[in-house]
Amino acid sequence: MNQDTRTAAEHIRESFLVFGAPRIEQAEIEEVVDSLTSGWLGTGPKVARFERAFAAYKGVRHVAALNSCTAALHVSILAAGLQPGDEIITTPLTFCATINAIVHAGAVPVLADVDPQTMNIDPNEIERRLTPRTRAILPVHFAGRPCDMDAIGDIARRQNLTLIEDCAHAVEAEYRGRKTGTFGDFGCFSFYATKNVVTGEGGMVITRRKEDAARVSMLGLHGLSRDAWQRFSADGYRHYEVVACGFKYNMTDLQAALGIHQLARVEDNWARRAEIWRAYNEGLCGLPIHLPPAADAHTRHGYHLYTILIDPLQCNTSRDAFLNAMTARGIGVGVHYLSVPEHSYYQRAMGWKPEQYPNAMRIGRQTVSLPLSARLTDDDVADVVHAATNTLAGLSGTNHSAPLQLCTEVDTASLSVPIDGAQS
Ligand SMILES: *Cc1c(COP(=O)(O)O)cnc(C)c1O
């Protein structure tokens, strides 16, 4: 075996690369220990500190911490005053929580298909789905790529609709210099274990109006008129009053302890993911797969998900076979997402069919998310590239010595272009 064949030979990782494992450092650990020793585990001073830090990072004044983005979406819809039967237009290419929050709030989700290039909700499709009952638009900045907020904002203003942004992927993202979550009336963020800023479980709402943030906080803590930690403060006992039938959605100090230090490193982690993103673009360029769409010039991408598309006609293999083969090679992969109408509940309850949203359906059936955590080492990134390359060579049985040129950075219009054989 000469040197070259040895390098090309299969290299199996010693440990499984867990998809989405966060980068946790000593500062988070010490802050959690400090909460444990202080005896204050519930909603308290660290939540207030995390809220102030988040408001400063986003350049806003009104925020409310909660225990998830699902909760954030739910109470935002309620705080917006939507009534049962009101319609909210959103994307079929999202996590089920986006839809479930709408249903739990008593509103009716209406899907508008995504743009096949950007994978974000298509403003033209939003227009097509408007009815006299439409009250809100709920765009998701998919993978961290900002939606077309000029067009969506125009529709919302023209139709007098509430705008609620699902920013679960996009805490760092900007559109024309404006930060995500500040376009609409409510911006909802997730600090779930795999997201860009993690608290284990956690969420945040930012609002344009002060009274909306107060209402979100109130609904997130049983509908109490005052925060519990104010009640027990040193200035003397204060009675609370229940002013609405709220929910148990408050963030705890244990969670905020993580968030405070995670947020302090949000830009470092973003820069590392941008680096990994470029390494994937270079390492995977030339494989018969579609790479994720590059960020638009006037935007800042959040780099939350690196999603490739496995088109069975080009790869000679199915997406699911690719997922299994990557897992067997020790690489954790994800699917974001099967389109919402693929799930039996929504078919039964809403009557949705995947074919009604063909772009989201095709992406959902072809997409694979590669690991993109700031925790990845350069060796991890090289392992992912090797595993993907070897998987495609092994599964398709083809020789990629004359690779197809499908690098998205070079040719963003390639997605719907049929590939006819080798380009020699
Ligand atoms: C993760 C996620 C949510 C839900 O966030 P939680 O904090 O886990 O409730 C909602 N929308 C999208 C797009 C997500 O990725």
Side-chain angles (χ1 to χ4, degrees), residues 87 89-90 110-113 121-132 134 136-137 148 150-159 161:
E87 292 177 359
I89 299 180
T90 191
V110 172
L111 303 181
D113 203 0
I121 193 167
D122 179 346
N124 295 319
E125 290 295 313
I126 296 177
E127 300 264 12
R128 282 187 49 208
R129 304 285 173 175
L130 292 168
T131 78
T134 308
I137 309 176
D148 182 350
D150 281 348
I152 294 171
D154 276 353
I155 301 171
R157 267 186 304 278
R158 200 160 13 92
Q159 305 286 331
L161 305 175

PDB file of all heavy atoms in Angstrom, residues 87 89-90 110-113 121-132 134 136-137 148 150-159 161:
ATOM      1  N   GLU A  87     -56.237  33.281  10.909  1.00  0.00           N
ATOM      2  CA  GLU A  87     -55.248  32.513  10.148  1.00  0.00           C
ATOM      3  C   GLU A  87     -53.855  33.129  10.234  1.00  0.00           C
ATOM      4  O   GLU A  87     -53.697  34.354  10.169  1.00  0.00           O
ATOM      5  CB  GLU A  87     -55.679  32.404   8.678  1.00  0.00           C
ATOM      6  CG  GLU A  87     -56.923  31.551   8.510  1.00  0.00           C
ATOM      7  CD  GLU A  87     -57.434  31.477   7.078  1.00  0.00           C
ATOM      8  OE1 GLU A  87     -56.827  32.113   6.179  1.00  0.00           O
ATOM      9  OE2 GLU A  87     -58.458  30.800   6.862  1.00  0.00           O
ATOM     10  N   ILE A  89     -50.108  32.694   8.412  1.00  0.00           N
ATOM     11  CA  ILE A  89     -49.397  32.077   7.288  1.00  0.00           C
ATOM     12  C   ILE A  89     -47.958  31.795   7.694  1.00  0.00           C
ATOM     13  O   ILE A  89     -47.252  32.688   8.186  1.00  0.00           O
ATOM     14  CB  ILE A  89     -49.437  32.995   6.047  1.00  0.00           C
ATOM     15  CG1 ILE A  89     -50.894  33.216   5.624  1.00  0.00           C
ATOM     16  CG2 ILE A  89     -48.633  32.375   4.899  1.00  0.00           C
ATOM     17  CD1 ILE A  89     -51.061  34.114   4.409  1.00  0.00           C
ATOM     18  N   THR A  90     -47.540  30.528   7.510  1.00  0.00           N
ATOM     19  CA  THR A  90     -46.167  30.153   7.847  1.00  0.00           C
ATOM     20  C   THR A  90     -45.636  29.149   6.831  1.00  0.00           C
ATOM     21  O   THR A  90     -46.299  28.828   5.842  1.00  0.00           O
ATOM     22  CB  THR A  90     -46.072  29.639   9.299  1.00  0.00           C
ATOM     23  OG1 THR A  90     -44.703  29.520   9.671  1.00  0.00           O
ATOM     24  CG2 THR A  90     -46.752  28.281   9.447  1.00  0.00           C
ATOM     25  N   VAL A 110     -51.759  28.306   8.154  1.00  0.00           N
ATOM     26  CA  VAL A 110     -51.912  28.210   6.694  1.00  0.00           C
ATOM     27  C   VAL A 110     -50.505  28.180   6.119  1.00  0.00           C
ATOM     28  O   VAL A 110     -49.684  29.046   6.450  1.00  0.00           O
ATOM     29  CB  VAL A 110     -52.701  29.436   6.151  1.00  0.00           C
ATOM     30  CG1 VAL A 110     -52.690  29.453   4.632  1.00  0.00           C
ATOM     31  CG2 VAL A 110     -54.126  29.436   6.693  1.00  0.00           C
ATOM     32  N   LEU A 111     -50.215  27.181   5.288  1.00  0.00           N
ATOM     33  CA  LEU A 111     -48.852  27.032   4.779  1.00  0.00           C
ATOM     34  C   LEU A 111     -48.676  27.733   3.438  1.00  0.00           C
ATOM     35  O   LEU A 111     -49.574  27.727   2.592  1.00  0.00           O
ATOM     36  CB  LEU A 111     -48.503  25.551   4.623  1.00  0.00           C
ATOM     37  CG  LEU A 111     -48.623  24.699   5.891  1.00  0.00           C
ATOM     38  CD1 LEU A 111     -48.226  23.251   5.594  1.00  0.00           C
ATOM     39  CD2 LEU A 111     -47.765  25.269   7.009  1.00  0.00           C
ATOM     40  N   ALA A 112     -47.510  28.337   3.255  1.00  0.00           N
ATOM     41  CA  ALA A 112     -47.113  28.928   1.972  1.00  0.00           C
ATOM     42  C   ALA A 112     -45.761  28.322   1.627  1.00  0.00           C
ATOM     43  O   ALA A 112     -44.832  28.368   2.440  1.00  0.00           O
ATOM     44  CB  ALA A 112     -47.017  30.448   2.083  1.00  0.00           C
ATOM     45  N   ASP A 113     -45.651  27.743   0.435  1.00  0.00           N
ATOM     46  CA  ASP A 113     -44.453  26.971   0.065  1.00  0.00           C
ATOM     47  C   ASP A 113     -43.201  27.850   0.072  1.00  0.00           C
ATOM     48  O   ASP A 113     -43.276  29.084  -0.004  1.00  0.00           O
ATOM     49  CB  ASP A 113     -44.630  26.332  -1.313  1.00  0.00           C
ATOM     50  CG  ASP A 113     -43.729  25.104  -1.506  1.00  0.00           C
ATOM     51  OD1 ASP A 113     -42.975  24.745  -0.572  1.00  0.00           O
ATOM     52  OD2 ASP A 113     -43.785  24.499  -2.597  1.00  0.00           O
ATOM     53  N   ILE A 121     -39.679  30.857   3.230  1.00  0.00           N
ATOM     54  CA  ILE A 121     -41.038  31.105   2.742  1.00  0.00           C
ATOM     55  C   ILE A 121     -41.004  32.106   1.583  1.00  0.00           C
ATOM     56  O   ILE A 121     -40.288  33.111   1.626  1.00  0.00           O
ATOM     57  CB  ILE A 121     -41.947  31.587   3.903  1.00  0.00           C
ATOM     58  CG1 ILE A 121     -43.410  31.544   3.531  1.00  0.00           C
ATOM     59  CG2 ILE A 121     -41.527  32.980   4.393  1.00  0.00           C
ATOM     60  CD1 ILE A 121     -44.360  31.694   4.731  1.00  0.00           C
ATOM     61  N   ASP A 122     -41.771  31.787   0.532  1.00  0.00           N
ATOM     62  CA  ASP A 122     -41.771  32.575  -0.696  1.00  0.00           C
ATOM     63  C   ASP A 122     -42.862  33.652  -0.583  1.00  0.00           C
ATOM     64  O   ASP A 122     -44.039  33.317  -0.443  1.00  0.00           O
ATOM     65  CB  ASP A 122     -42.058  31.623  -1.869  1.00  0.00           C
ATOM     66  CG  ASP A 122     -42.112  32.329  -3.207  1.00  0.00           C
ATOM     67  OD1 ASP A 122     -42.189  33.580  -3.242  1.00  0.00           O
ATOM     68  OD2 ASP A 122     -42.104  31.623  -4.232  1.00  0.00           O
ATOM     69  N   PRO A 123     -42.491  34.932  -0.629  1.00  0.00           N
ATOM     70  CA  PRO A 123     -43.495  36.001  -0.480  1.00  0.00           C
ATOM     71  C   PRO A 123     -44.633  35.898  -1.493  1.00  0.00           C
ATOM     72  O   PRO A 123     -45.780  36.240  -1.169  1.00  0.00           O
ATOM     73  CB  PRO A 123     -42.684  37.284  -0.703  1.00  0.00           C
ATOM     74  CG  PRO A 123     -41.279  36.904  -0.351  1.00  0.00           C
ATOM     75  CD  PRO A 123     -41.123  35.461  -0.733  1.00  0.00           C
ATOM     76  N   ASN A 124     -44.353  35.409  -2.708  1.00  0.00           N
ATOM     77  CA  ASN A 124     -45.429  35.252  -3.686  1.00  0.00           C
ATOM     78  C   ASN A 124     -46.443  34.213  -3.231  1.00  0.00           C
ATOM     79  O   ASN A 124     -47.644  34.349  -3.479  1.00  0.00           O
ATOM     80  CB  ASN A 124     -44.871  34.833  -5.055  1.00  0.00           C
ATOM     81  CG  ASN A 124     -43.998  35.918  -5.643  1.00  0.00           C
ATOM     82  OD1 ASN A 124     -44.327  37.104  -5.561  1.00  0.00           O
ATOM     83  ND2 ASN A 124     -42.868  35.527  -6.196  1.00  0.00           N
ATOM     84  N   GLU A 125     -45.938  33.168  -2.574  1.00  0.00           N
ATOM     85  CA  GLU A 125     -46.838  32.138  -2.054  1.00  0.00           C
ATOM     86  C   GLU A 125     -47.659  32.688  -0.887  1.00  0.00           C
ATOM     87  O   GLU A 125     -48.812  32.308  -0.694  1.00  0.00           O
ATOM     88  CB  GLU A 125     -46.042  30.902  -1.614  1.00  0.00           C
ATOM     89  CG  GLU A 125     -45.450  30.116  -2.774  1.00  0.00           C
ATOM     90  CD  GLU A 125     -46.542  29.503  -3.653  1.00  0.00           C
ATOM     91  OE1 GLU A 125     -47.484  28.909  -3.116  1.00  0.00           O
ATOM     92  OE2 GLU A 125     -46.440  29.660  -4.886  1.00  0.00           O
ATOM     93  N   ILE A 126     -47.045  33.586  -0.085  1.00  0.00           N
ATOM     94  CA  ILE A 126     -47.806  34.226   1.000  1.00  0.00           C
ATOM     95  C   ILE A 126     -48.993  34.977   0.398  1.00  0.00           C
ATOM     96  O   ILE A 126     -50.136  34.836   0.849  1.00  0.00           O
ATOM     97  CB  ILE A 126     -46.919  35.190   1.816  1.00  0.00           C
ATOM     98  CG1 ILE A 126     -45.793  34.424   2.523  1.00  0.00           C
ATOM     99  CG2 ILE A 126     -47.766  35.963   2.841  1.00  0.00           C
ATOM    100  CD1 ILE A 126     -44.816  35.315   3.291  1.00  0.00           C
ATOM    101  N   GLU A 127     -48.719  35.766  -0.656  1.00  0.00           N
ATOM    102  CA  GLU A 127     -49.793  36.528  -1.324  1.00  0.00           C
ATOM    103  C   GLU A 127     -50.931  35.605  -1.741  1.00  0.00           C
ATOM    104  O   GLU A 127     -52.115  35.933  -1.570  1.00  0.00           O
ATOM    105  CB  GLU A 127     -49.251  37.226  -2.580  1.00  0.00           C
ATOM    106  CG  GLU A 127     -48.127  38.216  -2.342  1.00  0.00           C
ATOM    107  CD  GLU A 127     -48.606  39.654  -2.217  1.00  0.00           C
ATOM    108  OE1 GLU A 127     -49.838  39.859  -2.082  1.00  0.00           O
ATOM    109  OE2 GLU A 127     -47.741  40.556  -2.249  1.00  0.00           O
ATOM    110  N   ARG A 128     -50.569  34.452  -2.310  1.00  0.00           N
ATOM    111  CA  ARG A 128     -51.580  33.514  -2.807  1.00  0.00           C
ATOM    112  C   ARG A 128     -52.442  32.944  -1.693  1.00  0.00           C
ATOM    113  O   ARG A 128     -53.557  32.479  -1.943  1.00  0.00           O
ATOM    114  CB  ARG A 128     -50.898  32.344  -3.530  1.00  0.00           C
ATOM    115  CG  ARG A 128     -50.421  32.662  -4.918  1.00  0.00           C
ATOM    116  CD  ARG A 128     -49.910  31.396  -5.616  1.00  0.00           C
ATOM    117  NE  ARG A 128     -50.863  30.290  -5.503  1.00  0.00           N
ATOM    118  CZ  ARG A 128     -50.527  29.000  -5.505  1.00  0.00           C
ATOM    119  NH1 ARG A 128     -49.254  28.660  -5.578  1.00  0.00           N
ATOM    120  NH2 ARG A 128     -51.439  28.056  -5.411  1.00  0.00           N
ATOM    121  N   ARG A 129     -51.901  32.917  -0.471  1.00  0.00           N
ATOM    122  CA  ARG A 129     -52.621  32.264   0.634  1.00  0.00           C
ATOM    123  C   ARG A 129     -53.391  33.249   1.505  1.00  0.00           C
ATOM    124  O   ARG A 129     -54.003  32.864   2.506  1.00  0.00           O
ATOM    125  CB  ARG A 129     -51.640  31.486   1.517  1.00  0.00           C
ATOM    126  CG  ARG A 129     -50.811  30.461   0.772  1.00  0.00           C
ATOM    127  CD  ARG A 129     -51.623  29.235   0.421  1.00  0.00           C
ATOM    128  NE  ARG A 129     -50.844  28.330  -0.445  1.00  0.00           N
ATOM    129  CZ  ARG A 129     -51.262  27.145  -0.836  1.00  0.00           C
ATOM    130  NH1 ARG A 129     -52.442  26.702  -0.446  1.00  0.00           N
ATOM    131  NH2 ARG A 129     -50.527  26.393  -1.621  1.00  0.00           N
ATOM    132  N   LEU A 130     -53.356  34.531   1.171  1.00  0.00           N
ATOM    133  CA  LEU A 130     -54.103  35.532   1.947  1.00  0.00           C
ATOM    134  C   LEU A 130     -55.602  35.297   1.808  1.00  0.00           C
ATOM    135  O   LEU A 130     -56.081  34.982   0.721  1.00  0.00           O
ATOM    136  CB  LEU A 130     -53.772  36.943   1.443  1.00  0.00           C
ATOM    137  CG  LEU A 130     -52.357  37.475   1.695  1.00  0.00           C
ATOM    138  CD1 LEU A 130     -52.124  38.758   0.880  1.00  0.00           C
ATOM    139  CD2 LEU A 130     -52.113  37.735   3.175  1.00  0.00           C
ATOM    140  N   THR A 131     -56.310  35.426   2.928  1.00  0.00           N
ATOM    141  CA  THR A 131     -57.777  35.371   2.890  1.00  0.00           C
ATOM    142  C   THR A 131     -58.278  36.501   3.794  1.00  0.00           C
ATOM    143  O   THR A 131     -57.488  37.139   4.503  1.00  0.00           O
ATOM    144  CB  THR A 131     -58.341  34.036   3.438  1.00  0.00           C
ATOM    145  OG1 THR A 131     -58.303  34.076   4.873  1.00  0.00           O
ATOM    146  CG2 THR A 131     -57.572  32.825   2.920  1.00  0.00           C
ATOM    147  N   PRO A 132     -59.590  36.738   3.814  1.00  0.00           N
ATOM    148  CA  PRO A 132     -60.110  37.775   4.726  1.00  0.00           C
ATOM    149  C   PRO A 132     -59.847  37.442   6.198  1.00  0.00           C
ATOM    150  O   PRO A 132     -59.945  38.312   7.059  1.00  0.00           O
ATOM    151  CB  PRO A 132     -61.619  37.772   4.433  1.00  0.00           C
ATOM    152  CG  PRO A 132     -61.742  37.202   3.052  1.00  0.00           C
ATOM    153  CD  PRO A 132     -60.631  36.211   2.916  1.00  0.00           C
ATOM    154  N   THR A 134     -56.904  36.160   7.310  1.00  0.00           N
ATOM    155  CA  THR A 134     -55.470  36.211   7.618  1.00  0.00           C
ATOM    156  C   THR A 134     -55.198  37.339   8.604  1.00  0.00           C
ATOM    157  O   THR A 134     -55.622  38.475   8.389  1.00  0.00           O
ATOM    158  CB  THR A 134     -54.650  36.458   6.333  1.00  0.00           C
ATOM    159  OG1 THR A 134     -55.028  35.505   5.351  1.00  0.00           O
ATOM    160  CG2 THR A 134     -53.162  36.346   6.617  1.00  0.00           C
ATOM    161  N   ALA A 136     -51.920  37.168  10.577  1.00  0.00           N
ATOM    162  CA  ALA A 136     -50.491  37.239  10.902  1.00  0.00           C
ATOM    163  C   ALA A 136     -49.656  36.450   9.898  1.00  0.00           C
ATOM    164  O   ALA A 136     -50.167  35.547   9.224  1.00  0.00           O
ATOM    165  CB  ALA A 136     -50.246  36.688  12.309  1.00  0.00           C
ATOM    166  N   ILE A 137     -48.369  36.822   9.813  1.00  0.00           N
ATOM    167  CA  ILE A 137     -47.380  36.049   9.052  1.00  0.00           C
ATOM    168  C   ILE A 137     -46.311  35.626  10.046  1.00  0.00           C
ATOM    169  O   ILE A 137     -45.881  36.425  10.890  1.00  0.00           O
ATOM    170  CB  ILE A 137     -46.739  36.880   7.918  1.00  0.00           C
ATOM    171  CG1 ILE A 137     -47.809  37.549   7.057  1.00  0.00           C
ATOM    172  CG2 ILE A 137     -45.840  35.996   7.052  1.00  0.00           C
ATOM    173  CD1 ILE A 137     -47.229  38.470   5.980  1.00  0.00           C
ATOM    174  N   ASP A 148     -36.869  37.032   3.097  1.00  0.00           N
ATOM    175  CA  ASP A 148     -36.991  38.259   2.311  1.00  0.00           C
ATOM    176  C   ASP A 148     -37.883  39.238   3.086  1.00  0.00           C
ATOM    177  O   ASP A 148     -39.090  39.324   2.856  1.00  0.00           O
ATOM    178  CB  ASP A 148     -37.602  37.907   0.950  1.00  0.00           C
ATOM    179  CG  ASP A 148     -37.715  39.113   0.033  1.00  0.00           C
ATOM    180  OD1 ASP A 148     -37.502  40.253   0.511  1.00  0.00           O
ATOM    181  OD2 ASP A 148     -38.026  38.915  -1.151  1.00  0.00           O
ATOM    182  N   ASP A 150     -38.022  42.514   3.191  1.00  0.00           N
ATOM    183  CA  ASP A 150     -38.623  43.647   2.469  1.00  0.00           C
ATOM    184  C   ASP A 150     -40.013  43.260   1.968  1.00  0.00           C
ATOM    185  O   ASP A 150     -41.001  43.942   2.229  1.00  0.00           O
ATOM    186  CB  ASP A 150     -37.755  44.046   1.263  1.00  0.00           C
ATOM    187  CG  ASP A 150     -36.552  44.886   1.680  1.00  0.00           C
ATOM    188  OD1 ASP A 150     -36.529  45.344   2.845  1.00  0.00           O
ATOM    189  OD2 ASP A 150     -35.647  45.061   0.850  1.00  0.00           O
ATOM    190  N   ALA A 151     -40.061  42.141   1.262  1.00  0.00           N
ATOM    191  CA  ALA A 151     -41.330  41.705   0.662  1.00  0.00           C
ATOM    192  C   ALA A 151     -42.334  41.307   1.742  1.00  0.00           C
ATOM    193  O   ALA A 151     -43.519  41.662   1.659  1.00  0.00           O
ATOM    194  CB  ALA A 151     -41.080  40.536  -0.291  1.00  0.00           C
ATOM    195  N   ILE A 152     -41.861  40.571   2.756  1.00  0.00           N
ATOM    196  CA  ILE A 152     -42.782  40.108   3.803  1.00  0.00           C
ATOM    197  C   ILE A 152     -43.305  41.292   4.619  1.00  0.00           C
ATOM    198  O   ILE A 152     -44.494  41.379   4.940  1.00  0.00           O
ATOM    199  CB  ILE A 152     -42.086  39.052   4.694  1.00  0.00           C
ATOM    200  CG1 ILE A 152     -41.797  37.797   3.874  1.00  0.00           C
ATOM    201  CG2 ILE A 152     -42.934  38.723   5.919  1.00  0.00           C
ATOM    202  CD1 ILE A 152     -40.927  36.759   4.579  1.00  0.00           C
ATOM    203  N   GLY A 153     -42.414  42.240   4.925  1.00  0.00           N
ATOM    204  CA  GLY A 153     -42.827  43.447   5.649  1.00  0.00           C
ATOM    205  C   GLY A 153     -43.855  44.245   4.865  1.00  0.00           C
ATOM    206  O   GLY A 153     -44.816  44.774   5.444  1.00  0.00           O
ATOM    207  N   ASP A 154     -43.671  44.326   3.541  1.00  0.00           N
ATOM    208  CA  ASP A 154     -44.624  45.034   2.675  1.00  0.00           C
ATOM    209  C   ASP A 154     -46.013  44.412   2.764  1.00  0.00           C
ATOM    210  O   ASP A 154     -47.008  45.125   2.910  1.00  0.00           O
ATOM    211  CB  ASP A 154     -44.171  44.956   1.208  1.00  0.00           C
ATOM    212  CG  ASP A 154     -43.166  46.039   0.876  1.00  0.00           C
ATOM    213  OD1 ASP A 154     -42.935  46.906   1.741  1.00  0.00           O
ATOM    214  OD2 ASP A 154     -42.631  46.015  -0.244  1.00  0.00           O
ATOM    215  N   ILE A 155     -46.054  43.082   2.666  1.00  0.00           N
ATOM    216  CA  ILE A 155     -47.354  42.400   2.722  1.00  0.00           C
ATOM    217  C   ILE A 155     -48.011  42.660   4.083  1.00  0.00           C
ATOM    218  O   ILE A 155     -49.200  42.981   4.167  1.00  0.00           O
ATOM    219  CB  ILE A 155     -47.203  40.875   2.493  1.00  0.00           C
ATOM    220  CG1 ILE A 155     -46.572  40.594   1.128  1.00  0.00           C
ATOM    221  CG2 ILE A 155     -48.547  40.171   2.623  1.00  0.00           C
ATOM    222  CD1 ILE A 155     -46.186  39.140   0.901  1.00  0.00           C
ATOM    223  N   ALA A 156     -47.216  42.531   5.152  1.00  0.00           N
ATOM    224  CA  ALA A 156     -47.765  42.711   6.502  1.00  0.00           C
ATOM    225  C   ALA A 156     -48.335  44.122   6.663  1.00  0.00           C
ATOM    226  O   ALA A 156     -49.430  44.298   7.202  1.00  0.00           O
ATOM    227  CB  ALA A 156     -46.682  42.440   7.542  1.00  0.00           C
ATOM    228  N   ARG A 157     -47.598  45.140   6.179  1.00  0.00           N
ATOM    229  CA  ARG A 157     -48.080  46.522   6.317  1.00  0.00           C
ATOM    230  C   ARG A 157     -49.330  46.748   5.479  1.00  0.00           C
ATOM    231  O   ARG A 157     -50.317  47.315   5.948  1.00  0.00           O
ATOM    232  CB  ARG A 157     -46.985  47.507   5.894  1.00  0.00           C
ATOM    233  CG  ARG A 157     -46.118  47.987   7.054  1.00  0.00           C
ATOM    234  CD  ARG A 157     -45.139  49.071   6.608  1.00  0.00           C
ATOM    235  NE  ARG A 157     -44.303  48.622   5.506  1.00  0.00           N
ATOM    236  CZ  ARG A 157     -43.197  47.881   5.672  1.00  0.00           C
ATOM    237  NH1 ARG A 157     -42.813  47.520   6.866  1.00  0.00           N
ATOM    238  NH2 ARG A 157     -42.489  47.493   4.633  1.00  0.00           N
ATOM    239  N   ARG A 158     -49.285  46.280   4.240  1.00  0.00           N
ATOM    240  CA  ARG A 158     -50.397  46.484   3.322  1.00  0.00           C
ATOM    241  C   ARG A 158     -51.676  45.837   3.845  1.00  0.00           C
ATOM    242  O   ARG A 158     -52.767  46.395   3.741  1.00  0.00           O
ATOM    243  CB  ARG A 158     -50.024  45.895   1.952  1.00  0.00           C
ATOM    244  CG  ARG A 158     -50.826  46.409   0.814  1.00  0.00           C
ATOM    245  CD  ARG A 158     -50.162  46.204  -0.569  1.00  0.00           C
ATOM    246  NE  ARG A 158     -49.025  45.312  -0.635  1.00  0.00           N
ATOM    247  CZ  ARG A 158     -49.116  43.994  -0.911  1.00  0.00           C
ATOM    248  NH1 ARG A 158     -50.283  43.423  -1.091  1.00  0.00           N
ATOM    249  NH2 ARG A 158     -48.014  43.269  -0.999  1.00  0.00           N
ATOM    250  N   GLN A 159     -51.538  44.634   4.420  1.00  0.00           N
ATOM    251  CA  GLN A 159     -52.715  43.880   4.870  1.00  0.00           C
ATOM    252  C   GLN A 159     -52.993  44.090   6.359  1.00  0.00           C
ATOM    253  O   GLN A 159     -53.891  43.460   6.909  1.00  0.00           O
ATOM    254  CB  GLN A 159     -52.496  42.379   4.619  1.00  0.00           C
ATOM    255  CG  GLN A 159     -52.164  42.021   3.180  1.00  0.00           C
ATOM    256  CD  GLN A 159     -53.381  42.112   2.268  1.00  0.00           C
ATOM    257  OE1 GLN A 159     -54.495  41.910   2.711  1.00  0.00           O
ATOM    258  NE2 GLN A 159     -53.162  42.440   1.006  1.00  0.00           N
ATOM    259  N   LEU A 161     -51.193  43.098   9.009  1.00  0.00           N
ATOM    260  CA  LEU A 161     -51.019  41.811   9.671  1.00  0.00           C
ATOM    261  C   LEU A 161     -49.945  41.911  10.747  1.00  0.00           C
ATOM    262  O   LEU A 161     -48.978  42.661  10.608  1.00  0.00           O
ATOM    263  CB  LEU A 161     -50.588  40.747   8.650  1.00  0.00           C
ATOM    264  CG  LEU A 161     -51.503  40.566   7.434  1.00  0.00           C
ATOM    265  CD1 LEU A 161     -50.888  39.569   6.448  1.00  0.00           C
ATOM    266  CD2 LEU A 161     -52.889  40.106   7.869  1.00  0.00           C
TER     267      LEU A 161
END
